[in-house]
Amino acid sequence: MSEDDPLQSAVERHEHLLQEVRRSFGDEHPQTLTAMLDLAEALWAQGRLIAARKLEEQVVAGRRRLLGPDNADTLKAVGKLAVTMAAQGELAPARQLQEDVVAGMRALDGETGRDTLRAVNNLAGTVAAQGDLAGAREILQSVIAAMIDEFGELHPDCLAAMGNLAGILWQEGEPAEAYELQRQVVELYRRVNDADDRAGLAAAAVLETMERDSGF
């Protein structure tokens, strides 16, 4: 195992686990499909989107056969696939899938369920990538308000959405508002002792970039 490369170590660990699970349960057992998604996530972290997408497509097909298209686990897999497609520049089909996921999650989990709000947050990212910053901003503001009401501002999903909104504000040419919101995000990570985890460090790095580029 590549101990000097944590990302490669994670891939190798998940590859081994997938082999073991597949040997024990077969190709389309729910545990096998979950292990495939975990491996896809590790590949994503390495930037290996083509390999990750291949696994995600297999999981979506498998879960649709096993669980049906409207099952929550199927919808989550579709959501992951859509994020990968968007990252690869396939924005229109990715958005269609995300809108389908949002509709499905609303039917299962309600307007303010955690999975629904996560799906809407992901949709906002694709809307922004398509150039509709105002639309993405409106979506994120509503998501953040709902997340604060349901889970509190310290919830990781809320912090992620707030960081996304800060990025949108920055792109819209509102650096002061973006900087202030990003500063709040970093402070909130510190309050929950997550300032040194991956998300907290990433938020701090964004804040430093804003400070450097705008002189705050």
Side-chain angles (χ1 to χ4, degrees), residues 13-133:
R13 184 171 62 254
H14 286 297
E15 285 175 337
H16 176 72
L17 178 60
L18 176 56
Q19 290 174 357
E20 293 296 317
V21 174
R22 182 175 276 145
R23 185 161 41 244
S24 298
F25 300 107
D27 288 338
E28 287 201 351
H29 189 278
Q31 291 189 36
T32 305
L33 297 175
T34 297
M36 291 170 68
L37 269 189
D38 291 340
L39 174 56
E41 185 173 344
L43 291 167
W44 228 103
Q46 283 190 316
R48 296 167 61 184
L49 301 188
I50 294 175
R53 177 170 174 172
K54 182 177 179 180
L55 287 169
E56 290 165 348
E57 288 172 339
Q58 293 173 20
V59 173
V60 168
R63 285 186 172 175
R64 281 174 172 165
R65 283 191 292 270
L66 283 175
L67 306 173
D70 299 323
N71 179 272
D73 287 338
T74 303
L75 293 171
K76 289 176 185 177
V78 173
K80 289 179 181 292
L81 173 60
V83 170
T84 301
M85 292 170 64
Q88 292 179 313
E90 298 180 31
L91 298 178
R95 178 170 178 170
Q96 182 59 62
L97 286 178
Q98 288 171 326
E99 289 174 345
D100 293 343
V101 171
V102 169
M105 286 302 185
R106 281 175 173 155
L108 292 172
D109 204 30
E111 289 284 340
T112 58
R114 181 178 180 182
D115 290 330
T116 302
L117 294 175
R118 279 184 169 180
V120 176
N121 185 32
N122 289 336
L123 173 61
T126 302
V127 171
Q130 288 182 309
D132 185 4
L133 297 179

Side-chain angles (χ1 to χ4, degrees), residues 5 25 49 51 54 61 170 187 207:
D5 184 345
F25 300 107
L49 301 188
K54 182 177 179 180
W170 186 266
E187 288 300 319
L207 184 64

